Amino acid sequence: MSITAFGEIDGKPVQEIRLTTASGAEASVISFGATLRDLLIPLKDGGKRRAVLGFEKLEGYLAGHSYIGATCGRVGNRIAGGAFSLDGKSYAVTRNEADRTHLHGGKRGFSHRVWEVVDHKTDQVTMRVISQDGEEGYPGTVEALCTYRLKDHGTVEIVLNAKTDAPTLVNIVNHSYFTLLENAEIWEHRMEIAAPFYTPVDDALIPTGEIRGVAGTPFDFRKARPIRFMQDGKPFDYDINLVLGALPPLGSAGDAAVRVTASDGKMALEMATTEPGVQLYTGAGLGPAGAGIGGQKHFPHAGFCLEAQRFPDAVHHRHFGQATLRPGEHYHQVTEYRFRAL
């Protein structure tokens, strides 16, 4: 484990924390946005493969709009109209997406804050951020903690915790873009998701409130298949919440909600989570906001996101299960991204 300087924002130093394991897996986390910047997984031939998108310098994260690797909150994903009611009170939060919706916590959400490093070891780091009452329009002061733990032989465990001093909304998501074969489109990766349902959306990507079966739709990944789904002569772009089936406890046999195999068959990824939904995003909005780490190229569909979450816009759909957090309650999420060489 090492900690080095990674630039400065508004007079605040940004730190880079490098994590390692005995098997040779390596990860890099920066304190801006509690962001997973790099992840190197050992292969069977003795080499290593980069498994996430990242930027060479801090400027790439400041210039970009794709939340690459970031921890997003207070509320990840979208809130319709940038407004909600809680306990009979109305609140307006920042509308930072086409002036229509509130996206990923607003203009200065968790992803755009410098987090404080509060604990670190060779294979893990914990960071903290305080979101004051009224920030981005949210009620209550929230303290959030994010822990990245790198396990052998290539598992990234992300633990998210939060507490509040007044009723508010919390739904934190990790926005890493995974690339099981660097500098190649993700369409031929084979993906399987234990999700029998999805939440349809309108033209602003806000859920309609329906919960539909995936059968006969592009969202059916119940059996492993290439991510590519052709519609109107081109690959279908995914940005949708999939409703995970009943999940066994983390660490039990068969607990993975998602399985992905690289198109060249040399690497696989499993995701296991405590959350009821996962946002599958295939990176249509990716582009060259800055130099990619190690010469990595950023372009549409260069990576895919698997954002473990409560359902988007849950505050407006009571049957979705809520993202409300109250004093004395504890927000807690555990998600593991498990990589292995094949």
Side-chain angles (χ1 to χ4, degrees):
M1 190 281 303
S2 65
I3 298 181
T4 57
F6 195 70
E8 187 177 286
I9 300 173
D10 298 330
K12 293 183 178 180
V14 176
Q15 296 175 302
E16 179 182 29
I17 304 94
R18 295 204 66 88
L19 311 176
T20 58
T21 68
S23 66
E26 301 177 50
S28 165
V29 177
I30 60 172
S31 58
F32 176 69
T35 295
L36 180 62
R37 176 179 178 246
D38 199 10
L39 179 62
L40 296 172
I41 303 298
L43 297 179
K44 289 189 173 181
D45 62 7
K48 294 183 182 182
R49 180 171 290 185
R50 179 164 282 119
V52 296
L53 299 186
F55 288 112
E56 192 68 34
K57 297 181 179 180
L58 179 60
E59 286 73 19
Y61 295 98
L62 299 179
H65 303 285
S66 297
Y67 301 92
I68 289 179
T71 299
C72 300
R74 294 184 192 188
V75 174
N77 217 306
R78 294 171 172 87
I79 296 177
F84 62 90
S85 294
L86 184 60
D87 295 344
K89 297 181 180 180
S90 296
Y91 298 94
V93 288
T94 308
R95 293 185 298 187
N96 59 316
E97 187 181 40
D99 198 34
R100 295 179 65 183
T101 58
H102 177 83
L103 176 65
H104 290 323
K107 293 180 179 178
R108 200 170 173 271
F110 292 176
S111 60
H112 288 72
R113 297 280 305 279
V114 177
W115 294 52
E116 175 193 4
V117 177
V118 294
D119 187 43
H120 53 82
K121 300 177 183 177
T122 300
D123 57 357
Q124 72 180 61
V125 60
T126 298
M127 292 165 286
R128 175 173 59 201
V129 70
I130 304 294
S131 177
Q132 298 293 340
D133 179 41
E135 187 170 282
E136 297 295 317
Y138 287 104
T141 295
V142 167
E143 178 185 15
L145 295 171
C146 174
T147 297
Y148 286 96
R149 183 175 293 111
L150 185 61
K151 302 179 178 180
D152 278 330
H153 291 272
T155 291
V156 177
E157 180 187 69
I158 304 173
V159 181
L160 300 166
N161 291 289
K163 61 183 180 180
T164 182
D165 65 358
T168 192
L169 304 182
V170 173
N171 182 20
I172 309 173
V173 304
N174 177 269
H175 210 290
S176 290
Y177 288 79
F178 300 108
T179 167
L180 304 186
L181 184 59
E182 206 173 17
N183 298 326
E185 290 187 337
I186 49 86
W187 296 125
E188 298 308 316
H189 291 349
R190 294 183 64 83
M191 179 174 285
E192 179 182 1
I193 306 179
F197 303 98
Y198 74 105
T199 51
V201 294
D202 62 19
D203 63 351
L205 296 177
I206 295 295
T208 63
E210 301 171 272
I211 299 177
R212 294 183 188 169
V214 298
T217 76
F219 310 112
D220 192 350
F221 286 94
R222 290 175 295 172
K223 293 184 178 179
R225 66 167 176 86
I227 297 175
R228 184 191 303 271
F229 184 94
M230 298 302 293
Q231 189 174 78
D232 300 326
K234 61 182 181 180
F236 183 86
D237 282 317
Y238 290 92
D239 195 355
I240 195 72
N241 174 61
L242 297 169
V243 180
L244 299 176
L247 297 176
L250 232 66
S252 61
D255 65 349
V258 182
R259 294 182 176 90
V260 189
T261 304
S263 56
D264 69 349
K266 292 186 177 181
M267 181 183 287
L269 163 64
E270 290 188 345
M271 186 192 85
T273 185
T274 57
E275 300 307 284
V278 60
Q279 188 83 8
L280 172 62
Y281 176 52
T282 48
L286 284 169
I293 186 170
Q296 182 184 75
K297 295 178 175 62
H298 292 191
F299 50 87
H301 315 119
F304 61 92
C305 298
L306 297 169
E307 304 165 51
Q309 62 182 359
R310 314 281 172 89
F311 296 174
D313 199 35
V315 70
H316 291 126
H317 305 285
R318 186 170 298 178
H319 59 291
F320 274 10
Q322 292 304 293
T324 305
L325 184 67
R326 300 181 183 279
E329 296 178 344
H330 181 201
Y331 173 89
H332 182 66
Q333 179 196 142
V334 182
T335 298
E336 289 188 349
Y337 298 99
R338 305 163 180 165
F339 297 84
R340 58 188 174 92
L342 299 177

